[in-house]
Amino acid sequence: MKAGYLGPKATFTDIAVQNAFPDAERIGYTTIPDCFKAVINNEVDMAVVPFENALEGSVHLTTDYLFHETNPPIRAEIIVPIQQHLMVHPMQYNKWNEVERILSHPHALAQCHKFLHNQFRGVTLEQLTSTAAAAKYVSEHPESNIAAIANELAAEKYNLKIVKENIHDYDFNHTRFIVLAHSHTEILPSLTSTYEKTTIMVTLPSDRAGALHQVLSAFAWRRINLSKIESRPLKTGLGHYFFMIDINQSIEDQLVKNAIEEIESLGCHVKILGSYFSYHTQK
Amino acid sequence: MKAGYLGPKATFTDIAVQNAFPDAERIGYTTIPDCFKAVINNEVDMAVVPFENALEGSVHLTTDYLFHETNPPIRAEIIVPIQQHLMVHPMQYNKWNEVERILSHPHALAQCHKFLHNQFRGVTLEQLTSTAAAAKYVSEHPESNIAAIANELAAEKYNLKIVKENIHDYDFNHTRFIVLAHSHTEILPSLTSTYEKTTIMVTLPSDRAGALHQVLSAFAWRRINLSKIESRPLKTGLGHYFFMIDINQSIEDQLVKNAIEEIESLGCHVKILGSYFSYHTQK
């Protein structure tokens, strides 16, 4: 089993894959679209990408790509707790509190906003494509007095010294990853699932008053619980949106099927991203 | 009249202020929260900050700050078309197509995604706090073969050479800016308004099925049109959201007043951000 993921090695996505699919061969890709394409081209059996963070919200690139492109379905979600640490090159260990630049993923920098504001006000924050990329960069620049914010796995992998543990502002922070794979591929995470979900994307027929209300009515009177409703720009002009909706039931449920059928009859365009189980990891 | 805005000089926010308040004394601030605080501390009469872009969606820092902090009300919105250009230092003019790094605001980089992908694949993209900050940086590093993506005003202000005009992927792109000011301050933009809006933020009483549907029902049966509904994380855990709702009517309308009153009676917490006029600029 080959699992593509948003690399480099030791990203939180890598942690998600290691927890859910410990026996899979892991192949890191540079961008989220590259992960999607790897499944489409059958380079890998599945792709794991970040989808939503409890503090920062959705990963827009994933959401937009799922909406605008044709992709394999979502087959599982993996929810991972996020623990961020400040790390430096061992050569810089003695002067870590005088670092000139701090590198990380924009979400990680935001997650440590209070810590950075209190301890490193004025220090340049540099945004990289992942926390692991930041750790990698620091490991390759031993002469620079710089630090990375990343996870424990990254410190280990890139031989960095953790100088401040758990610098994230909130303890309950989690990231939700999704697993994309063709429907004929068997996906069996080494975790126990608690519940099933369905994710759909809905484009309303026009800007007519109450169109979203009609869509929600189709679910509400059937007592179908929605765990998430999010709007994203359609990219056709200010004020035009599509809606991503998470349904806390399987698409196989007759009531869910009927609700979606009726929404389509109302003139909405519905794209079903997948019906899948949700898995939680301990770390 | 003093207008605080997200600086440095020549950001799109600066353009918004110049168009709407040509006679105002403009004072640039480094961060969005600093703009808000400047109004609270009466350093300025109003603050202008970006709120939403047609392609990238909401500016989360503005949204989250409006939700989590106590601020003066929104008194106006200004909608500005976005035109991005690639610019370099005059000393680098001859080798601009060999630039090693391209700097800009993350939204601007995303807005020129196709152009960058086609013409500068592999070139390092560096995210700065604004398009103008990128132009400023390029102007201060004449020896570096780097480029900025920014607007015309920035090229002018920082004496850079535009080497590619209108590199943004979509033509209809606009950004929505909001004007915050104390309610006793008179706000008179030099533009003609087309309509009035009200923005509220709603926290649902619990994760009970259909709570959002109930909120939308209160508007739908009164035929009150909502131009936007967006969820953002409450920052209390994955799956907890608040909703930002734009109502296409004034809060003075009896039906709007009643709808909000009833939503509160349902156990929702409603924060009214403001009732204001919408203004469009030509460039």
Side-chain angles (χ1 to χ4, degrees), chain B residues 165-191:
Chain B
E165 274 190 339
N166 296 321
I167 59 167
H168 45 282
D169 298 334
Y170 300 97
D171 270 345
F172 50 76
N173 191 20
H174 291 77
T175 294
R176 179 184 171 203
F177 297 90
I178 47 170
V179 180
L180 272 84
H182 293 298
S183 40
H184 56 79
T185 310
E186 207 175 12
I187 298 294
L188 290 170
S190 305
L191 297 162

Side-chain angles (χ1 to χ4, degrees), chain B residues 10-152:
Chain B
T11 54
F12 283 99
T13 319
D14 191 3
I15 291 183
V17 181
Q18 290 195 30
N19 277 301
F21 306 100
D23 302 326
E25 181 188 341
R26 303 190 312 277
I27 299 161
Y29 289 89
T30 317
T31 68
I32 289 170
D34 285 346
C35 295
F36 285 59
K37 280 175 204 151
V39 182
I40 294 166
N41 302 337
N42 295 311
E43 289 168 33
V44 293
D45 299 294
M46 61 174 125
V48 182
V49 295
F51 198 25
E52 184 182 6
N53 174 266
L55 295 174
E56 296 311 310
S58 288
V59 180
H60 296 323
L61 191 56
T62 303
T63 310
D64 290 353
Y65 215 86
L66 287 171
F67 179 78
H68 291 286
E69 309 291 328
T70 304
N71 297 298
I74 302 175
R75 301 290 304 284
E77 77 173 11
I78 309 163
I79 293 172
V80 178
I82 299 297
Q83 291 164 331
Q84 305 282 11
H85 314 299
L86 188 73
M87 52 194 72
V88 299
H89 194 279
M91 275 180 61
Q92 300 292 336
Y93 185 60
N94 294 326
K95 32 183 182 162
W96 68 267
N97 40 22
E98 294 156 30
V99 290
E100 286 150 20
R101 288 183 293 147
I102 298 175
L103 289 66
S104 198
H105 185 272
H107 279 191
L109 293 170
Q111 286 158 15
C112 304
H113 175 79
K114 281 185 192 172
F115 169 81
L116 293 171
H117 185 82
N118 292 333
Q119 310 260 324
F120 291 98
R121 196 165 197 188
V123 171
T124 306
L125 305 178
E126 245 177 79
Q127 305 186 331
L128 272 82
T129 49
S130 70
T131 52
K136 188 161 181 269
Y137 184 96
V138 170
S139 76
E140 288 165 354
H141 294 80
E143 275 79 27
S144 304
N145 192 6
I146 54 178
I149 295 174
N151 61 39
E152 211 179 328

Side-chain angles (χ1 to χ4, degrees), chain A residues 52 54-57 60 127 172 207 209 212-213 216-217 220 225 227-233 235-238 241, chain B residues 52 54-57 60 127 172 209 212-213 216-217 220 225 227-233 235-238 241:
Chain A
E52 184 183 6
L55 295 174
E56 295 312 308
H60 296 322
Q127 304 186 333
F172 50 75
D207 278 347
L212 180 62
H213 172 253
L216 298 189
S217 297
N225 198 7
S227 54
K228 175 175 178 152
I229 297 154
E230 180 171 333
S231 65
R232 279 289 299 157
K235 299 185 191 282
T236 56
L238 207 58
Y241 309 98
Chain B
E52 184 182 6
L55 295 174
E56 296 311 310
H60 296 323
Q127 305 186 331
F172 50 76
L212 180 63
H213 171 253
L216 299 189
S217 298
N225 198 6
S227 55
K228 175 174 179 155
I229 297 155
E230 180 172 332
S231 64
R232 278 289 299 157
K235 300 188 191 280
T236 56
L238 208 58
Y241 309 99

Side-chain angles (χ1 to χ4, degrees), chain A residues 96-167:
Chain A
W96 67 266
N97 39 23
E98 295 155 30
V99 289
E100 286 150 19
R101 288 184 293 149
I102 299 175
L103 290 66
S104 198
H105 185 271
H107 278 191
L109 292 171
Q111 285 158 16
C112 304
H113 176 77
K114 282 185 192 171
F115 170 81
L116 292 171
H117 185 83
N118 291 334
Q119 310 259 323
F120 291 98
R121 193 163 200 190
V123 171
T124 306
L125 305 178
E126 243 177 79
Q127 304 186 333
L128 273 82
T129 49
S130 71
T131 52
K136 188 163 179 270
Y137 184 95
V138 170
S139 77
E140 287 165 354
H141 295 79
E143 274 78 28
S144 304
N145 193 6
I146 53 178
I149 295 175
N151 60 41
E152 211 179 329
L153 190 60
E156 212 175 280
K157 163 81 193 161
Y158 297 107
N159 295 313
L160 301 182
K161 279 268 208 193
I162 293 178
V163 290
K164 273 274 179 189
E165 276 190 339
N166 297 320
I167 59 166

